Amino acid sequence: MKKAGIIGVGEYLPKRILTNADLEKMVDTSNEWIVSRTGIKERRLAADNEATSDLAIKAAREALENAHLNPQDLDLIIVATITPDMAFPSVASIVENFLLAKKAAAFDISAACVGFVYALSIANQFIVRGTYKNALVIGAEKLSAITDWKDRNTCVLLGDGAGACVLSKVESGGIISAYLGCDGSKGELLNLPAGGSRKPASHETVDNRLHYLKMQGNELFKIAVKIMTEAARTVLRQAGLTFKDIDLIIPHQANSRIIMAVAKRLGIPEDKIYLNIEKYGNMSSASTATALVEAVKDGRVKKGDTILLDAFGAGLVWGACVIDL
Ligand code: ACO
């Protein structure tokens, strides 16, 4: 059976750069603390008049150009995001409208930092089953809109951006295996308490700063290392491959110490791990997406190489995917 493969990639990172030195003026932190604990040196921030869909559309245009396709060739658009422009319509609908992708079905999915891996896996099903030919998968976030800029525990970690890829049925290569999981019992470790149907926006929710992301970082750290290690092993087992078959591991970029702890447990040399957290921080669903895009653009991977995406995030959810480029 023919597989679904990546035929084009694109990204968009907002121009404004927020450095650790800038953050030192905003909260009680230091460049030394942020770099040594997280690996982050700077992150991008969208402009006030830029919403998640604006980032998504720019990344989508580059991916379509790179794939040599027109928006009218698209059958499906999936946007992975936890920071949609508004509750509805979906970011995917807004992208469909701007691109004039008139033939495409479009919807968002919410799987936090694993959103891009979840979305790839969903698009893969549609293509492999022959329902659709060309799918656009985007991970896009404006996390700065849900960041508490007074909370040093979280504000130093997050950034804005978008990454996209076009998936189509391919003659060779393609998605070999995908593995997704969830443990909802640990949802309270990372959430955005208000603004939904449980706690609609009110003066009280605003006064209590409940419209910002809340995180128990230390607890998540330990779980992330365990989950990402297990997810990588499981997806490889499913694929019938070993780590020797993988040219590059592209992990979710939450913390370089988490990534290196996973690499150590798996016995993977550091040069087989892709890192761009230094420049962008954690962009949730956009992190794995832009890391994939930049690994391709930087020439770290080329046609014929085998990559492994590995992510975890709020839910808690996790996902891993093996792809022949
Ligand atoms: N600057 C200086 N000190 C700080 C800062 C800061 N920015 N943030 C926390 N600290 C302090 C804490 O207050 C604490 O001080 P105390 O010992 O006096 O109480 C101390 O540093 C250590 O805090 P820890 O939380 O134990 O630090 P840790 O080494 O765990 O690093 C971090 C914190 C970076 C948050 C880490 O735990 C982490 O990366 N966790 C995982 C985050 C993650 O992956 N989130 C999921 C994805 S995000 C998403 O889905 C959108």
Side-chain angles (χ1 to χ4, degrees):
M1 190 163 47
K2 279 188 188 167
K3 294 192 173 70
I6 295 172
I7 64 160
V9 295
E11 66 176 342
Y12 176 72
L13 284 313
K15 295 197 177 29
R16 187 174 158 207
I17 295 175
L18 187 76
T19 64
N20 291 348
D22 295 327
L23 280 161
E24 283 177 352
K25 294 178 201 135
M26 296 161 64
V27 288
D28 179 16
T29 191
S30 66
N31 176 53
E32 196 281 327
W33 192 96
I34 302 171
V35 173
S36 63
R37 298 290 182 115
T38 71
I40 302 167
K41 290 187 176 162
E42 57 188 41
R43 65 291 290 148
R44 301 297 178 97
L45 296 189
D48 289 345
N49 63 355
E50 254 179 335
T52 295
S53 66
D54 298 312
L55 315 184
I57 289 162
K58 288 182 174 136
R61 287 208 164 113
E62 189 177 274
L64 283 165
E65 204 174 297
N66 187 240
H68 305 293
L69 286 189
N70 293 313
Q72 294 72 32
D73 298 320
L74 291 173
D75 305 295
L76 177 66
I77 300 170
I78 308 178
V79 178
T81 187
I82 51 167
T83 48
D85 295 26
M86 57 197 90
F88 60 88
S90 67
V91 175
S93 301
I94 298 167
V95 172
E96 183 276 337
N97 183 44
F98 266 79
L99 294 180
L100 298 174
K102 290 295 164 201
K103 215 170 57 160
F107 59 89
D108 289 358
I109 65 142
S110 172
C113 305
V114 198
F116 185 69
V117 178
Y118 263 70
L120 271 182
S121 172
I122 296 166
N124 179 44
Q125 295 295 328
F126 278 114
I127 291 171
V128 167
R129 282 164 195 270
T131 314
Y132 295 132
K133 194 161 165 239
N134 300 312
L136 175 64
V137 176
I138 307 170
E141 304 285 5
K142 184 178 176 179
L143 291 184
S144 60
I146 58 164
T147 300
D148 186 343
W149 293 104
K150 291 186 172 170
D151 177 11
R152 70 175 184 173
N153 291 297
T154 52
C155 75
V156 302
L157 305 172
L158 310 170
D160 303 334
C165 73
V166 179
L167 271 191
S168 287
K169 203 164 261 193
V170 286
E171 294 298 325
S172 62
I175 295 180
I176 301 175
S177 181
Y179 164 64
L180 308 174
C182 173
D183 177 1
S185 71
K186 296 192 174 64
E188 81 288 352
L189 293 177
L190 179 55
N191 65 9
L192 194 153
S197 58
R198 179 73 60 195
K199 282 194 178 78
S202 67
H203 289 302
E204 194 194 331
T205 60
V206 172
D207 291 347
N208 290 315
R209 306 184 78 74
L210 298 181
H211 295 273
Y212 297 120
L213 175 151
K214 312 283 176 200
M215 185 175 82
Q216 293 176 42
N218 195 275
E219 192 57 29
L220 273 175
F221 189 105
K222 290 175 258 175
I223 299 170
V225 173
K226 192 163 167 278
I227 285 179
M228 288 177 74
T229 305
E230 282 171 12
R233 285 194 178 125
T234 305
V235 80
L236 269 186
R237 204 166 43 242
Q238 274 181 200
L241 299 175
T242 71
F243 284 106
K244 289 205 174 76
D245 301 306
I246 302 298
D247 295 291
L248 192 66
I249 297 189
I250 300 176
H252 171 50
Q253 313 276 316
N255 185 320
S256 59
R257 285 191 298 134
I258 293 178
I259 294 170
M260 288 313 158
V262 173
K264 197 172 167 199
R265 282 187 174 206
L266 294 173
I268 310 277
E270 285 187 17
D271 63 353
K272 273 205 174 187
I273 310 278
Y274 192 80
L275 281 179
N276 66 2
I277 189 171
E278 179 179 312
K279 295 187 287 180
Y280 305 133
N282 179 353
M283 300 181 289
S284 191
S285 69
S287 272
T288 322
T290 58
L292 166 63
V293 174
E294 296 199 348
V296 172
K297 283 185 173 181
D298 295 353
R300 283 288 298 275
V301 283
K302 56 184 185 318
K303 187 136 187 62
D305 282 352
T306 304
I307 58 169
L308 191 158
L309 308 183
D310 190 9
F312 83 99
L316 299 180
V317 286
W318 57 90
C321 189
V322 178
I323 309 171
D324 273 344
L325 293 175

